[in-house]
Amino acid sequence: MSVPLFNLAPNLTVSRLCLGTMTFGEQNSLPQTLRLLDQAFDAGINFFDSAEMYPVPQRAETQGKSEEYFGQWVRKRKISRDRVVIATKVAGPSGQMSWIRDGPQCLDAKNITEAVDGSLKRLQMDHIDLYQIHWPDRSRHFKVLHSCVSSYVPMFGETEYDPVRQFSSVPIEEQLDALGRAVDAGKIRYIGLSNETPYGVMKFLHFAENNVCYTKIISVQNSYSLLCRTFDSGMAECCHHERIYLLGYSPLAMGILSGKYFASDGAPSDARLNLFKGRYSEGESRYSLARNTLKLATMEYLGIAEKYGLHPVSLAIAFVLNHPLVASTVFGVTKSWQLEEVISACNVELTSEIIADINKVHAKFPNPCP
């Protein structure tokens, strides 16, 4: 069984399954990483997603290892560069990662240029196929002259915009100019966004449309799963009319949709929400197992899988790939058998009856993991 392909852009054909690398260098050692990449590549996965801040939970000691491990795999296996599509991301403003350009403090041209060069060095490659802004500069929070300056976007589980929290941010034109220079230099082929809002997507498109020097985005990488369908609220309309594709990350909602966290033994100790308990705030807040609606919704989706004789992973992955705007779904695994489950799911087709049952659950429990 080979993973199907999708034409994301001219001369950019990607597998509909994209292997995320954020466990490489933390949960997975280099030998384990090489074996997982071998298995994925042999199954027809040619699309791999990383980020300069990976692996997670982010630490100064491990930062950049995910990119390094992927680059080592390509070199050790002597894989032709045109046989793999590598996407990576520049970290947005954060007050928590002082080891990445002092924060980073903002996403200005200097930070973007340094980040591109840093990723290329770790990957030991001459170009990146898809370069993404990990989260908007409008979400920054840092200290300037001893006063707190914030530029705000609701994300990572937040759903409501608060205009009181909005302040100045780096102009999108400056970001597009820096990215365009990297494209012109041959360092990047295409650009995309991640964890963005409809406003952000349309602003990036507007500026690119009105200035031939700016590169148009081709994709947005946002969370999408049975437990998080917020993309469909406003972003889907933007992407449909502007021909922007979704790279839906976290299709299993950090493993929750596999059902393992609600098993009698409470999931293995090395499952991410158990292993990093108290150390991974973004994951624990967004995918809080204490949230009753999350459990109720998950149990109903597991019931649908059982009703139709599907593996829960198959139901979850097939649901994401069934979306007409999804080019590929970005998933993560730490073990070979987990990868096998995902690969076997990519050719499952959901009937109208299954979709109807899914939508009934969604109506009862909309987006418990936004």
Side-chain angles (χ1 to χ4, degrees):
M1 180 186 297
S2 183
V3 176
L5 301 174
F6 188 93
N7 292 320
L8 182 58
N11 299 313
L12 191 67
T13 300
V14 301
S15 51
R16 298 212 66 204
L17 295 178
C18 175
L19 179 57
T21 66
M22 72 178 189
T23 64
F24 299 169
E26 180 66 50
Q27 287 177 268
N28 291 112
S29 65
L30 178 59
Q32 291 170 338
T33 295
L34 298 178
R35 288 193 292 271
L36 286 171
L37 288 168
D38 286 342
Q39 182 182 351
F41 190 65
D42 290 345
I45 294 176
N46 76 339
F47 193 17
F48 304 90
D49 179 73
S50 196
E52 66 168 338
M53 64 170 268
Y54 289 169
V56 297
Q58 53 268 35
R59 296 188 293 136
E61 297 80 10
T62 58
Q63 185 256 319
K65 284 190 177 295
S66 297
E67 290 179 326
E68 290 175 9
Y69 283 12
F70 182 80
Q72 288 188 48
W73 171 71
V74 171
R75 292 191 307 281
K76 287 176 182 291
R77 300 301 190 254
K78 295 181 171 59
I79 294 171
S80 175
R81 180 63 184 84
D82 61 2
R83 295 188 66 196
V84 293
V85 176
I86 178 66
T88 193
K89 303 183 278 292
V90 54
S94 168
Q96 303 173 354
M97 294 184 290
S98 58
W99 53 90
I100 301 179
R101 298 182 301 282
D102 298 323
Q105 292 194 349
C106 65
L107 266 177
D108 60 6
K110 181 175 183 292
N111 272 277
I112 291 172
T113 301
E114 288 183 14
V116 170
D117 290 341
S119 287
L120 287 172
K121 183 177 180 179
R122 287 185 292 271
L123 290 164
Q124 293 193 35
M125 295 179 178
D126 62 0
H127 70 275
I128 295 161
D129 296 295
L130 175 62
Y131 197 67
Q132 305 154 106
I133 292 178
H134 206 155
W135 59 86
D137 180 82
R138 306 186 311 281
S139 64
R140 62 187 160 121
H141 182 89
F142 62 96
K143 291 183 178 180
V144 176
L145 298 177
H146 307 291
S147 63
C148 187
V149 177
S150 302
S151 185
Y152 158 75
V153 174
M155 61 180 185
F156 298 134
E158 293 183 329
T159 58
E160 297 180 358
Y161 177 79
D162 181 0
V164 175
R165 297 170 63 184
Q166 178 65 47
F167 295 90
S168 61
S169 58
V170 173
I172 288 174
E173 302 98 311
E174 179 177 341
Q175 297 172 335
L176 281 169
D177 183 68
L179 292 167
R181 290 176 186 274
V183 171
D184 292 342
K187 297 178 180 181
I188 298 171
R189 294 181 63 200
Y190 294 96
I191 66 171
L193 303 174
S194 183
N195 297 299
E196 256 297 1
T197 65
Y199 169 82
V201 167
M202 293 307 297
K203 292 300 284 186
F204 271 87
L205 290 170
H206 170 76
F207 287 123
E209 187 177 286
N210 288 282
N211 190 325
V212 294
C213 296
Y214 298 156
T215 302
K216 179 187 174 184
I217 62 169
I218 64 167
S219 61
V220 59
Q221 185 179 153
N222 278 16
S223 178
Y224 195 76
S225 71
L226 288 167
L227 298 176
C228 177
R229 295 167 63 171
T230 53
F231 172 84
D232 294 326
S233 299
M235 186 73 84
E237 181 182 14
C238 297
C239 290
H240 173 66
H241 290 296
E242 301 296 335
R243 299 182 181 179
I244 304 298
Y245 290 107
L246 172 64
L247 305 177
Y249 76 78
S250 202
L252 297 175
M254 205 169 284
I256 290 171
L257 287 166
S258 70
K260 63 184 178 183
Y261 288 104
F262 300 119
S264 57
D265 59 359
S269 59
D270 63 351
R272 198 179 313 157
L273 290 174
N274 290 337
L275 182 64
F276 299 129
K277 194 169 185 177
R279 293 175 51 202
Y280 191 24
S281 58
E282 185 265 309
E284 290 181 84
S285 60
R286 191 177 204 173
Y287 303 103
S288 173
L289 298 174
R291 193 178 301 134
N292 193 45
T293 54
L294 183 154
K295 181 176 182 179
L296 292 173
T298 300
M299 296 309 292
E300 293 219 23
Y301 289 128
L302 295 176
I304 292 173
E306 184 177 10
K307 175 182 176 181
Y308 292 99
L310 295 173
H311 193 288
V313 170
S314 294
L315 180 74
I317 295 292
F319 169 75
V320 177
L321 293 180
N322 188 63
H323 197 294
L325 295 175
V326 169
S328 186
T329 184
V330 184
F331 70 98
V333 296
T334 58
K335 298 176 178 63
S336 175
W337 61 265
Q338 294 173 331
L339 181 54
E340 288 177 9
E341 287 181 349
V342 174
I343 291 170
S344 66
C346 71
N347 288 297
V348 172
E349 294 188 12
L350 302 183
T351 64
S352 58
E353 291 80 10
I354 298 175
I355 294 295
D357 283 356
I358 286 172
N359 287 335
K360 288 176 184 176
V361 178
H362 177 64
K364 288 170 62 179
F365 307 107
N367 303 317
C369 296

